[in-house]
Amino acid sequence: MSASPDEAARFRDDLRDAMHDVGFIYLAGHGIPQELTDAMLDISRRFFDLPEDQKLAIENVHSPQFRGYTRVGGEITDGAIDWREQIDIGVERDAVEPRPGVADYWRLEGPNLWPENLPEMRGIVTEWTERLSAISLDLLRALALSLGAPEDTFDAAFAAQAFPMLKIVRYPGESDPEPKQGVGSHRDGGVLTLLLVEPGKGGLQVEYQGQWIDAPQVPGTFVVNIGEMLELATNGYLKATLHRVISPLRGTDRISLPFFYNPALDATMPRLAVSPEFQAKARGLSVDPTNSPILETYGDNALRYRLRAHPNVVEAHHPDLLKA
């Protein structure tokens, strides 16, 4: 992502236009060493190859922060069960105990759950998260400049306590051959998503002009899309796009590494002071598939998603948040 000033300006313009029109891009030239990518895919495979009891030892029902392993069928998107297994990993911080006067979303802060028999996993994942966080901040700065806003517009929301999340996902084949849901139709609730897909695998589909378009894996690239909070910051000029994942064919599977770059839980996304030419083309906010409005504070959005997706964790650790 290093370039001459003219190349950088063209990249910013192309990035802005693609995120306005489609909301998705392929990102090459990101600087992630192939050795690190290979290590991430290898440790992911090795995790899913662990015996079931070792994976369930770090099941997310043991984590008030919704971290750890989710078994196949243990997550819900768009009102239906997702056919995948995964481990959720966030920033390692001290847990915040619920108490009066403390926003409920602080319950998401806390430690991760790591598999005992893969001690090297923590170091590999930490390096991956740090590198992708740096790329994500560069992309946000490029988007701000491309819209006529100060380059550091987003820095305050991310600088001190950004809240990135990584999912390591395995989709076991279920399509036979009629397509089955891997992950249901949704928009990402955060700011930016960087997705690495195992080479040679497909399944991601993006909604464009009323049609579902395949987004196949392209070697050496990340698929990048924006989330609802960035759409909010630009009054809909940048587009958070509906997408879904189709389950692979039976007898096959697919490893997927979506990384979600999000601001601090208590951050309110700044509204960009975009140039008039872009503001005139702002479309307002998308309608959520569940008719839920995008909330101003990131933590409120993040908690709402977790409550909806993982009712087992809510029942075990947050019964007071269950609606009567």
Side-chain angles (χ1 to χ4, degrees):
M1 290 172 61
S2 58
S4 70
D6 286 345
E7 290 171 332
R10 284 196 298 272
F11 170 79
R12 289 194 297 268
D13 290 346
D14 290 344
L15 176 66
R16 177 198 63 223
D17 293 346
M19 290 308 194
H20 170 70
D21 184 34
V22 184
F24 274 76
I25 63 166
Y26 289 103
L27 179 68
H30 42 70
I32 298 293
Q34 187 61 45
E35 295 80 7
L36 179 57
T37 298
D38 292 344
M40 272 297 303
L41 290 169
D42 176 67
I43 202 70
S44 301
R45 279 275 172 207
R46 289 164 59 200
F47 172 75
F48 292 120
D49 286 343
L50 289 174
E52 191 75 4
D53 64 318
Q54 293 184 25
K55 291 187 287 187
L56 291 177
I58 60 165
E59 190 174 15
N60 66 355
V61 75
H62 302 303
S63 168
Q65 291 79 33
F66 299 82
R67 311 285 177 88
Y69 176 68
T70 302
R71 65 181 80 191
V72 173
E75 186 171 25
I76 298 169
T77 303
D78 197 20
I81 293 173
D82 296 326
W83 201 253
R84 63 180 179 177
E85 59 177 332
Q86 65 188 37
I87 179 171
D88 283 84
I89 301 168
V91 180
E92 291 276 354
R93 295 190 179 122
D94 293 335
V96 178
E97 291 298 321
R99 59 183 184 275
V102 175
D104 289 335
Y105 54 70
W106 287 115
R107 302 183 191 200
L108 299 176
E109 290 264 77
N112 294 302
L113 302 180
W114 299 100
E116 184 177 344
N117 286 6
L118 289 176
E120 64 272 37
M121 187 177 196
R122 182 169 180 168
I124 295 168
V125 167
T126 298
E127 182 180 358
W128 185 258
T129 298
E130 289 174 351
R131 284 181 176 267
L132 265 61
S133 293
I135 293 170
S136 300
L137 186 56
D138 283 345
L139 288 171
L140 285 180
R141 288 169 173 166
L143 281 168
L145 280 174
S146 75
L147 290 166
E151 183 178 24
D152 63 355
T153 296
F154 296 107
D155 284 22
F158 291 88
Q161 280 197 299
F163 195 75
M165 294 292 298
L166 172 69
K167 286 181 182 287
I168 299 175
V169 184
R170 174 181 171 268
Y171 294 94
E174 188 66 11
S175 299
D176 187 33
E178 67 278 5
K180 301 289 186 180
Q181 175 171 312
V183 173
S185 171
H186 66 285
R187 295 182 180 89
D188 292 342
V191 176
L192 272 183
T193 302
L194 276 64
L195 170 67
L196 181 80
V197 176
E198 190 175 25
K201 301 297 177 73
L204 175 65
Q205 295 186 330
V206 176
E207 191 275 331
Y208 183 64
Q209 296 183 351
Q211 302 291 323
W212 286 108
I213 307 298
D214 289 329
Q217 191 268 347
V218 175
T221 70
F222 287 91
V223 177
V224 181
N225 65 281
I226 71 167
E228 292 176 330
M229 296 298 284
L230 197 48
E231 181 173 296
L232 178 68
T234 61
N235 192 32
Y237 182 83
L238 300 179
K239 183 178 182 180
T241 303
L242 282 172
H243 53 286
R244 65 186 184 185
V245 176
I246 302 301
S247 180
L249 290 173
R250 289 198 174 185
T252 69
D253 67 357
R254 172 183 187 260
I255 298 294
S256 176
L257 305 175
F259 171 81
F260 305 96
Y261 191 57
N262 304 311
L265 288 169
D266 61 348
T268 300
M269 282 296 286
R271 301 299 180 98
L272 264 69
V274 302
S275 300
E277 62 180 300
F278 304 120
Q279 190 58 54
K281 298 176 183 177
R283 295 162 290 206
L285 302 183
S286 302
V287 177
D288 186 87
T290 61
N291 291 321
S292 299
I294 302 172
L295 304 174
E296 292 277 344
T297 303
Y298 170 66
D300 289 327
N301 279 304
L303 180 62
R304 180 176 65 183
Y305 169 76
R306 292 296 189 176
L307 297 179
R308 194 164 55 193
H310 298 285
N312 61 325
V313 179
V314 180
E315 184 177 356
H317 298 285
H318 310 290
D320 59 307
L321 298 183
L322 289 170
K323 293 184 178 180

